[in-house]
C-alpha cells in the first residue's frame, strides 16, 4: 500500500511532463514558465512543509498523516485540470506540493520500522519503485488521455483515483506499536534538535547534497525528456509516452532493485552505502550523453535505459544510510530534513534551470535547444559521484547502530 500511494505521488507529480506540449500550446507558456510549474511551484512548500509534517508523524500517527496528505494532493491534482492560465495552474501545483509534503518521509520511517537493518535497503528500494513506476504510469496515462481526449481529463481521472484509494490505505496500513516511554528517558527530539544532531555529521551533508545534485538532473531531464523526444524525433505524443514509459520501467525498476539488493549484500562495510551510488553516477554520465547525441530513435532508447537505471541506484542505499544517522523515533524528521535539501535544490532547481537554459539556447539552436541544455548539465552527475565518495569517508563513524 505504501508503494501504491508512492506511485500516485509520482504519477501526479510527473504527469505534467508529458502534458507540457499541449498545455504550452493551449495556455501559451514558455519553457521557463513550464519549468516553474514543474519545479519551484511544487518544490518550495513540498520541501519546507515536509519537515513539520514529519515531526507530527513522528509524534502521532504516520499512517494518518500519509492518508490525509494523499487526499489533499489528489484533490489539487484534479484542480490542475480546471486551470485557465499560468497563475491557476501555478496555484494548483503549489497545492499538490503541500499535500505531497506529508507522504514520503513518514513512509520511509514506516518501512524502517517494519524491516530489520539487514533487509532495509532492499525494502526501501522496493518502496522507491514508486518513482519509476509512478513516473511511467503518469507519462503513459497523460499521453493516452491527451491523445484521445484532452490534457485536462488526465488530471481529473488521476486525482479522483487517488482520493478513492485513501480509505483503503488507512484500513490496511497500521503504525507498528511504539515502545512505551521509559521513566527518566530524555524527551523526544524536536525538529531543531534533530537538525543540530545531523548538522554535526559530515556524511549527512555529503549524502544530501550528492543526492540533490543528482536529482537536479533526474527531475530536470525526466521532466523535459518528453519535450526533447517530441522536438528531436518525428513521432507523436502517444509514441513519446511509450518511449519514456519503456525507459523508466526497464531501466528505472532494474536500477532501483539492484541498488537496494547490492547495498544489503555489501552493507557490512558501511562505506558501500555511499560508494555504490558514486560509481553509478560517474558511469551513467557519458552513456547519457551518447543517448542525447544520437539521432537514431531506437539507439537513443537503448542508450537511455542504462543511465536511467544507474541514476536510480542511490535510493535504497542512501535512504537506508539516512535512517541510520539518528535513533528510530527521529527517522521521519531526519528523512524530511534530507528531502528538504534534495527536493529544494533538485526538484526546484533542476526543472526550472533546464527550462531557462533551453530558452537561452533557443535563438542559437532552435529545436535543438533542449538537447544542448541537457548536455550542459550532465557533468553534475560526476559532481554527485564525488560528493558520495566523500560521504563514504565519514559514514562509518556517523552511523547509529540499532539495538537488536
Amino acid at each position: 500500500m505504501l508503494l501504491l500511494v508512492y506511485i500516485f505521488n509520482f504519477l501526479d507529480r510527473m504527469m505534467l511532463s508529458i502534458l507540457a506540449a499541449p498545455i504550452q500550446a493551449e495556455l501559451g507558456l514558455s519553457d521557463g514558465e513550464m519549468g516553474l510549474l514543474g519545479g519551484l511551484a511544487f518544490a518550495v512548500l513540498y520541501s519546507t512543509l515536509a519537515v513539520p509534517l514529519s515531526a507530527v508523524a513522528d509524534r502521532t500517527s504516520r499512517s494518518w498523516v500519509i492518508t490525509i496528505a494523499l487526499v489533499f494532493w489528489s484533490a489539487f491534482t484534479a484542480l490542475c485540470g480546471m486551470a485557465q492560465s499560468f497563475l491557476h495552474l501555478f496555484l494548483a501545483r503549489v497545492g499538490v506540493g503541500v499535500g505531497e509534503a506529508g507522504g514520503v518521509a513518514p513512509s520511509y520511517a514506516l518501512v524502517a520500522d517494519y524491516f530489520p537493518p539487514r533487509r532495509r535497503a532492499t525494502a526501501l528500494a522496493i518502496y522507491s519503485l514508486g518513482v519509476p513506476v509512478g513516473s511511467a504510469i503518469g507519462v503513459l496515462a497523460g499521453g493516452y488521455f491527451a491523445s484521445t481526449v484532452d490534457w485536462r481529463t488526465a488530471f481529473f481521472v488521476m486525482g479522483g483515483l487517488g482520493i478513492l484509494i485513501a480509505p483503503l490505505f488507512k484500513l490496511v496500513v497500521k503504525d507498528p506499536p511504539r515502545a512505551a516511554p521509559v521513566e527518566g528517558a530524555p524527551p523526544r527530539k524536536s525538529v531543531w534538535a534533530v537538525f543540530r544532531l545531523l548538522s554535526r555529521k559530515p556524511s549527512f551533508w555529503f549524502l544530501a547534497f550528492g543526492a540533490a545534485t543528482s536529482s537536479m538532473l533526474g527531475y530536470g531531464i525526466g521532466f523535459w525528456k518528453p519535450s526533447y523526444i517530441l522536438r528531436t524525433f518525428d513521432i507523436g505524443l502517444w509514441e513519446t509516452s511509450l518511449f519514456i514509459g519503456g525507459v523508466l520501467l526497464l531501466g528505472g525498476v532494474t536500477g532501483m532493485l539492484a541498488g537496494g539488493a547490492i547495498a544489503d549484500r555489501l552493507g557490512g562495510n558501511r562505506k558501500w552505502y555511499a560508494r555504490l551510488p558514486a560509481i553509478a553516477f560517474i558511469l551513467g554520465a557519458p552513456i547519457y550523453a551518447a543517448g542525447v547525441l544520437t539521432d537514431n530513435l531506437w539507439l537513443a532508447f537503448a542508450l537511455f535505459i542504462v543511465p536511467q537505471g544507474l541514476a536510480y541506484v542511490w535510493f535504497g542505499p542512501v535512504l537506508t544510510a539516512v535512517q541510520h544517522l539518528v535513533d528510530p523515533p527521529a527517522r521521519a524528521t531526519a528523512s524530511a530534513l534530507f528531502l528538504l535539501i534534495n527536493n529544494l535544490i533538485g526538484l526546484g532547481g533542476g526543472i526550472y534551470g533546464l527550462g531557462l537554459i533551453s530558452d537561452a539556447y533557443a535563438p542559437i539552436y532552435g529545436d535543438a535547444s533542449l538537447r544542448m541544455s541537457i548536455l550542459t548539465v550532465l557533468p553534475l552527475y560526476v559532481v554527485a559521484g564525488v560528493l558520495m565518495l566523500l560521504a563514504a569517508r565519514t559514514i562509518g563513524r556517523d552511523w547509529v547502530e540499532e539495538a537488536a
Side-chain angles (χ1 to χ4, degrees):
M1 286 305 300
L2 286 168
L3 172 59
L4 178 62
V5 170
Y6 202 23
I7 286 171
F8 271 88
N9 182 302
F10 255 81
L11 187 159
D12 293 345
R13 187 187 311 185
M14 299 306 291
M15 188 166 55
L16 189 68
S17 64
I18 193 64
L19 300 176
I23 290 173
Q24 285 180 280
E26 181 173 333
L27 301 184
L29 307 180
S30 68
D31 284 353
E33 287 174 317
M34 281 306 302
L36 277 175
L37 292 173
L40 283 174
F42 178 91
V44 173
L45 289 179
Y46 170 68
S47 303
T48 53
L49 286 179
V51 177
L53 288 175
S54 295
V56 171
D58 275 340
R59 294 170 182 273
T60 57
S61 166
R62 289 164 180 166
S63 61
W64 262 118
V65 169
I66 298 167
T67 303
I68 295 168
L70 171 61
V71 172
F72 198 91
W73 87 61
S74 298
F76 273 93
T77 295
L79 285 175
C80 288
M82 302 176 67
Q84 301 297 319
S85 68
F86 171 79
L87 179 60
H88 292 165
L89 197 49
F90 184 93
L91 293 175
R93 290 288 293 173
V94 169
V96 175
V98 170
E100 293 195 9
V104 181
S107 297
Y108 289 162
L110 271 179
V111 173
D113 287 344
Y114 271 106
F115 290 88
R118 68 182 184 279
R119 298 171 57 200
R120 198 164 286 156
T122 300
L124 283 167
I126 292 171
Y127 167 71
S128 297
L129 288 176
V131 177
V133 174
S135 298
I137 295 174
V139 166
L140 291 169
Y144 173 78
F145 284 114
S147 299
T148 58
V149 190
D150 58 38
W151 61 267
R152 298 178 186 279
T153 303
F155 287 116
F156 295 145
V157 171
M158 294 303 134
L161 287 175
I163 294 172
L164 288 176
I165 68 168
L168 176 62
F169 174 84
K170 188 64 190 77
L171 180 66
V172 172
V173 178
K174 308 296 182 184
D175 291 74
R178 304 192 187 187
V182 178
E183 188 176 350
R188 189 181 296 271
K189 291 182 176 68
S190 66
V191 172
W192 177 243
V194 175
F195 173 74
R196 281 188 299 167
L197 172 65
L198 290 171
S199 68
R200 295 192 294 268
K201 299 190 173 189
S203 53
F204 171 75
W205 296 108
F206 290 131
L207 290 171
F209 282 103
T213 303
S214 75
S215 292
M216 288 183 71
L217 295 174
Y219 283 119
I221 297 174
F223 183 87
W224 288 111
K225 193 183 290 180
S227 296
Y228 159 74
I229 298 297
L230 283 168
R231 297 178 193 182
T232 305
F233 303 103
D234 187 22
I235 59 174
L237 188 64
W238 174 237
E239 290 78 11
T240 299
S241 302
L242 292 174
F243 181 105
I244 302 297
V247 169
L248 285 164
L249 291 174
L250 293 173
V253 170
T254 302
M256 193 79 76
L257 292 176
I262 295 170
D264 275 340
R265 182 172 292 274
L266 301 177
N269 183 346
R270 307 303 188 198
K271 295 179 185 295
W272 279 104
Y273 286 97
R275 282 179 183 165
L276 185 61
I279 294 169
F281 290 145
I282 293 170
L283 287 177
I287 306 173
Y288 229 135
V292 173
L293 286 168
T294 184
D295 289 319
N296 182 288
L297 179 66
W298 289 107
L299 180 57
F301 181 80
L303 287 171
F304 280 147
I305 287 173
V306 178
Q308 187 72 65
L310 291 170
Y312 283 165
V313 163
W314 72 267
F315 279 82
V318 171
L319 295 177
T320 299
V322 172
Q323 300 296 311
H324 281 276
L325 296 178
V326 296
D327 293 319
R331 281 173 178 158
T333 304
S335 296
L337 290 167
F338 169 82
L339 291 171
L340 172 65
I341 297 171
N342 181 60
N343 290 320
L344 202 57
I345 295 174
L347 181 54
I351 297 174
Y352 183 47
L354 268 172
L356 284 182
I357 295 170
S358 177
D359 280 345
Y361 282 165
I364 306 169
Y365 298 106
D367 285 344
S369 63
L370 269 176
R371 167 184 278 176
M372 300 309 299
S373 178
I374 293 170
L375 289 172
T376 299
V377 300
L378 273 176
L380 287 174
Y381 269 135
V382 179
V383 175
V386 171
L387 289 168
M388 290 293 174
L389 289 175
L390 292 172
R393 300 173 62 183
T394 60
I395 196 169
R397 67 172 178 262
D398 291 339
W399 196 274
V400 176
E401 295 295 342
E402 191 170 327

